[in-house]
Amino acid sequence: MITHEPTPHYLANPDRYKNMAFEPCGRSGIRLPKLSLGLWQNFGADDSQSNARSMLQTAFDAGITHFDLANNYGPHYGAAESTFGAIYQQDFTPYRDELIISSKAGYDMWPGPYGMGGSRKYLVASCDQSLKRTGLEYFDIFYHHCMDPDTPIEETMQALDYIVRSGRALYVGVSNYQPAQTQQAVKILRELGTPLLIHQPRYNMFDRWIEDGLTQVLQDEGVGSIVFSPLAQGVLTDKYLKGIPQDSRAAQQHQIYLADKDITPAKLNKVTALNELAQQRQQSLAQMAIAWTLHNTAVTSCLIGASRPAQITDSVKALNHLEFSTDEISVINTILKD
């Protein structure tokens, strides 16, 4: 008697492209889905691989063709790439040419002076390690994750150019670069013959720094952008409207990027007012926050995170109402005003 059947091979939703909108990435020939999936959280060694698999399947079934990684995503470092690699081999190899898969290097990854930064040695070695963990032959996009003040930007851009010319990646990007640094990167890469495809900055209603120069550089130079943290680590949801739940990120001491000090009464008042506007728009606050990032014409795609498949499905519903009236934008700006 058969007591165990192998997991059936994943078959993607045949209607996956019917409802997802795609936008040109700068002046390139690449079009990105308006929503992309980031694997920063919940794909680590201690997370459920079956849940991670379900999230990747749910995303692709909804038309999300872009999965974003980095060498140090986990925990532990490298774990998210290994998790993705295992699921990719199980489910997604038949769909490789439908996918945009990216990774990054820049922050600390291994001990010693060559385990972080922007040097050619670090970037090439890290890219090779990431390819091994994911089991991929190449990345569609490889990023320098953060500006390194101790390495000449020329060396970093030359390394990115080499990564493309050696077949390790098809395109290159930068993340967390300031406007002037981005301008430099664009110029150097253009001269090398490997144009800068995309910039990945943090952007949400509470963190609008890119509007102070960066978006203009991107538009002038024809560079795309994919923004992360649209929900401000969960603050721009209904999660904190009644205080800080014990199971939330803000209540977990190991969370570096969000703590109870970030959930101030003044901020909660703003969240409450934004939530009221979202209800008037017949959206959840999270859906409105995602739609708001896409309202910026310099934004190509919004990078969402999730801890379960239902959150991805809910985020995709933001695409049903992306338009904002002039009055709604005015109300949002008034709420956010210091």
Side-chain angles (χ1 to χ4, degrees):
M1 183 177 68
I2 298 176
T3 58
H4 175 74
E5 294 182 0
T7 302
H9 186 72
Y10 164 63
L11 295 176
N13 176 13
D15 296 328
R16 58 190 175 277
Y17 293 114
K18 284 191 174 180
N19 297 314
M20 178 57 64
F22 289 77
E23 291 293 327
C25 189
R27 288 197 285 263
S28 76
I30 283 293
R31 299 175 69 87
L32 292 181
K34 279 186 173 289
L35 296 184
S36 301
L37 181 65
L39 280 66
W40 179 33
Q41 302 278 353
N42 305 307
F43 287 81
D46 296 331
D47 296 306
S48 165
Q49 189 168 115
S50 63
N51 184 56
R53 185 185 183 199
S54 294
M55 288 194 288
L56 288 168
Q57 291 178 357
T58 298
F60 190 57
D61 284 345
I64 295 176
T65 56
H66 179 24
F67 300 147
D68 181 71
L69 293 151
N71 59 354
N72 64 348
Y73 286 177
H76 55 279
Y77 289 175
E81 289 179 328
S82 296
T83 295
F84 173 79
I87 297 168
Y88 169 79
Q89 293 298 327
Q90 188 173 9
D91 292 337
F92 290 100
T93 51
Y95 305 104
R96 177 63 183 97
D97 293 335
E98 295 184 44
L99 294 170
I100 298 289
I101 304 170
S102 62
S103 195
K104 318 177 199 71
Y107 292 109
D108 62 300
M109 183 61 192
W110 63 84
Y114 318 122
M116 66 181 297
S119 71
R120 181 187 181 102
K121 179 174 177 62
Y122 167 64
L123 290 178
V124 175
S126 187
C127 185
D128 285 344
Q129 290 180 16
S130 293
L131 288 171
K132 287 179 182 178
R133 282 189 290 268
T134 57
L136 299 174
E137 294 182 359
Y138 66 92
F139 288 114
D140 295 277
I141 307 170
F142 192 76
Y143 290 85
H144 187 219
H145 208 165
C146 56
M147 185 70 184
D148 176 14
D150 297 323
T151 301
I153 191 172
E154 290 82 2
E155 178 178 348
T156 301
M157 296 306 112
Q158 287 166 2
L160 292 179
D161 173 67
Y162 172 75
I163 285 170
V164 168
R165 293 183 186 278
S166 62
R168 291 169 167 86
L170 302 181
Y171 301 90
V172 296
V174 296
S175 181
N176 301 305
Y177 273 44
Q178 295 296 314
Q181 298 165 344
T182 304
Q183 190 83 62
Q184 279 185 285
V186 168
K187 181 177 184 296
I188 296 167
L189 285 169
R190 184 175 292 144
E191 292 172 350
L192 291 170
T194 300
L196 181 65
L197 175 74
I198 193 167
H199 190 301
Q200 186 175 135
R202 177 184 171 98
Y203 184 52
N204 58 61
M205 289 183 183
F206 288 130
D207 191 352
R208 301 174 64 168
W209 75 271
I210 71 170
E211 296 173 6
D212 189 20
L214 180 60
T215 52
Q216 192 63 52
V217 170
L218 299 178
Q219 290 177 316
D220 290 346
E221 300 294 348
V223 176
S225 71
I226 178 168
V227 297
F228 68 90
S229 195
L231 306 183
Q233 297 300 298
V235 178
L236 287 166
T237 68
D238 59 7
K239 182 185 297 185
Y240 300 107
L241 291 177
K242 296 180 180 179
I244 302 175
Q246 288 301 307
D247 62 348
S248 69
R249 289 182 183 178
Q252 299 176 26
Q253 294 183 359
H254 70 275
Q255 287 289 348
I256 299 172
Y257 300 97
L258 183 65
D260 54 6
K261 65 180 176 60
D262 298 308
I263 317 296
T264 63
K267 182 167 283 188
L268 281 178
N269 287 338
K270 294 179 181 182
V271 171
T272 299
L274 290 169
N275 187 60
E276 291 173 358
L277 177 60
Q279 290 177 337
Q280 293 171 22
R281 286 170 51 85
Q282 298 184 319
Q283 286 182 307
S284 69
L285 176 55
Q287 289 165 351
M288 186 179 78
I290 290 168
W292 179 88
T293 67
L294 293 168
H295 182 73
N296 187 322
T297 56
V299 174
T300 310
S301 182
C302 177
L303 199 57
I304 61 170
S307 60
R308 56 187 185 276
Q311 291 179 333
I312 296 172
T313 301
D314 187 68
S315 293
V316 170
K317 292 178 182 178
L319 303 180
N320 296 335
H321 191 177
L322 292 176
E323 300 77 19
F324 287 84
S325 69
T326 302
D327 287 345
E328 286 173 333
I329 292 297
S330 178
V331 169
I332 290 171
N333 289 337
T334 300
I335 293 170
L336 296 175
K337 197 173 181 180
D338 290 331

